[in-house]
Amino acid sequence: MGRIPLPPSTIRSARLPYWAVALTALLLFACSDGTGPQGGTDGQLTLTVRVHPLEDGAVPSLNTSLSDSEVQTLFDGANQIWQQGDVVWRIESIVREEAQNGEDFARAVRGGGAGGLYIAGGGVSPAVISSEVDPTGLRDLAGSGPRILAHELGHSLSLFHVACTDAGNLMSPGCPLGQRTQLTAGQVDMARLQASTGHPLGN
């Protein structure tokens, strides 16, 4: 759930136009055509994403095993969470490919340690990387998986980490208490403002 830069050679940046999510034991998406969101700022905003399940022949343990239908299940769960902001993530395509510069990729993934991260720029297109398994090693397509994905998508919509409270919040990293999928009215306003631009934070 952190935001750390990956080396520019790790992912083919030319293939990640606007919103992008990468999966290995992870995933990556991008708003593909630059036309912006569908819908108005006062109604539902539909953001198109491209998902890149990643593989690395040298480090098979990082390869994603998710099927296309399981990727959709993850996004269905993330969309349930984002209903509170009237934001919908629609998969445009799923493009399976090999991670570039496998050693740097493996180092960055293992250094994340939280199940996901958001790349805001730094020589590559903004992208979400979400792990197939959560930090405890659990492969949970109905609970922690969608929640971590929704959290990283929140970073792409300009939301930063907040402290844990008894009420809980989607953007509280590793918070064990409360409702861990909630967003405040202020967070929803910020996220929708970013979504309405048609570009993720950092682009």
Side-chain angles (χ1 to χ4, degrees):
M1 295 183 207
R3 296 184 357 267
I4 63 173
L6 285 175
S9 58
T10 302
I11 299 172
R12 294 188 193 117
S13 60
R15 299 194 60 176
L16 305 179
Y18 296 142
W19 253 284
V21 180
L23 283 168
T24 65
L26 310 178
L27 112 108
L28 207 140
F29 38 52
C31 182
S32 60
D33 58 10
T35 58
Q38 299 171 358
T41 56
D42 295 329
Q44 185 181 83
L45 294 171
T46 300
L47 300 173
T48 303
V49 300
R50 183 174 296 158
V51 180
H52 297 260
L54 298 180
E55 298 183 351
D56 180 3
V59 191
S61 63
L62 293 178
N63 293 352
T64 183
S65 65
L66 293 174
S67 67
D68 288 4
S69 64
E70 288 173 324
V71 171
Q72 184 62 62
T73 296
L74 278 176
F75 275 89
D76 289 345
N79 278 331
Q80 287 182 349
I81 294 170
W82 275 99
Q83 279 181 346
Q84 62 194 304
D86 223 359
V87 172
V88 174
W89 304 91
R90 182 183 66 83
I91 297 175
E92 175 237 40
S93 60
I94 299 176
V95 182
R96 297 180 183 273
E97 64 183 312
E98 185 174 349
Q100 302 299 294
N101 198 338
E103 290 184 8
D104 283 344
F105 176 71
R107 190 177 308 114
V109 169
R110 290 174 178 144
L117 56 91
Y118 179 60
I119 307 165
V124 297
S125 297
V128 165
I129 295 186
S130 183
S131 179
E132 182 175 321
V133 297
D134 68 18
T136 70
L138 182 65
R139 187 177 186 268
D140 183 2
L141 302 183
S144 60
R147 186 178 68 247
I148 291 171
L149 175 58
H151 173 103
E152 300 306 334
L153 289 169
H155 285 313
S156 80
L157 294 180
S158 78
L159 301 184
F160 294 89
H161 288 159
V162 297
C164 287
T165 67
D166 289 343
N169 190 280
L170 178 65
M171 302 310 295
S172 297
C175 191
L177 303 173
Q179 173 49 265
R180 298 179 64 187
T181 60
Q182 294 290 99
L183 292 170
T184 66
Q187 287 174 314
V188 167
D189 288 345
M190 288 178 63
R192 286 181 59 80
L193 182 62
Q194 185 69 48
S196 69
T197 70
H199 300 279
L201 180 70
N203 191 335

